[in-house]
Amino acid sequence: MPCTVKLICVDPDRIFDFWRYARPLILAAIERTGLSEFASIENQVLSGEQLLWLAWDGSAILAAATTHLSRDVCTITACSGQDRKRWLPLIEHIENYAKAEGALKTRIIGRRGWERVLNAYRAQFVILEKDV
């Protein structure tokens, strides 16, 4: 089945036109893992330090993701949405963007479930945690 969803990289100059729609999705991703501070990601997106990507099916935003480009790594810092099977193949566009910008790898910070659906990615590090 062909992908009927487009990935849109929001121009940082137009971020305030789109952020209110993507904010709840990015917030949900951050709250689910607790691996990042939402305020930090939000500030970086609003200042242009991170990019906002939207999966758009022509009538609705199905997903939103944020990326941070640093040296040779493009990190997907948050991603959340609905109907994942429709938009997940679009990650290829982020990988192509990363490569075009000189990144040597794409990294994902998120929950363990991403390992099951992104077979081309492999775990490189582990986060150890203990309640005190």
Side-chain angles (χ1 to χ4, degrees):
M1 172 167 74
C3 186
T4 59
V5 180
K6 290 185 175 187
L7 186 66
I8 300 166
C9 180
V10 176
D11 182 332
D13 290 337
R14 298 209 45 219
I15 193 65
F16 292 101
D17 296 334
F18 294 92
W19 182 244
R20 65 182 161 154
Y21 304 108
R23 187 181 194 277
L25 293 167
I26 301 302
L27 179 60
I30 299 301
E31 287 181 341
R32 185 150 187 193
T33 64
L35 293 173
S36 304
E37 292 293 325
F38 175 75
S40 176
I41 288 180
E42 181 176 46
N43 288 336
Q44 289 180 4
V45 169
L46 295 177
S47 71
E49 292 177 59
Q50 288 200 38
L51 293 177
L52 175 64
W53 303 79
L54 303 174
W56 172 255
D57 74 354
S59 61
I61 296 171
L62 299 181
T66 54
T67 60
H68 184 260
L69 193 60
S70 175
R71 296 189 322 218
D72 63 348
V73 178
C74 178
T75 303
I76 299 173
T77 56
C79 181
S80 179
Q82 61 187 17
D83 207 0
R84 182 183 68 217
K85 288 181 181 179
R86 291 184 62 203
W87 53 263
L88 190 60
L90 298 173
I91 194 170
E92 181 179 334
H93 295 289
I94 293 175
E95 295 164 350
N96 291 339
Y97 155 78
K99 187 174 183 179
E101 292 295 319
L104 302 176
K105 56 185 95 178
T106 305
R107 181 175 293 154
I108 297 171
I109 298 175
R111 58 186 184 82
R112 294 196 122 173
W114 288 116
E115 284 183 278
R116 288 192 308 274
V117 297
L118 294 171
N119 299 326
Y121 286 76
R122 61 192 184 286
Q124 293 294 312
F125 306 100
V126 65
I127 297 172
L128 300 174
E129 191 171 90
K130 177 184 176 188
D131 291 335
V132 292

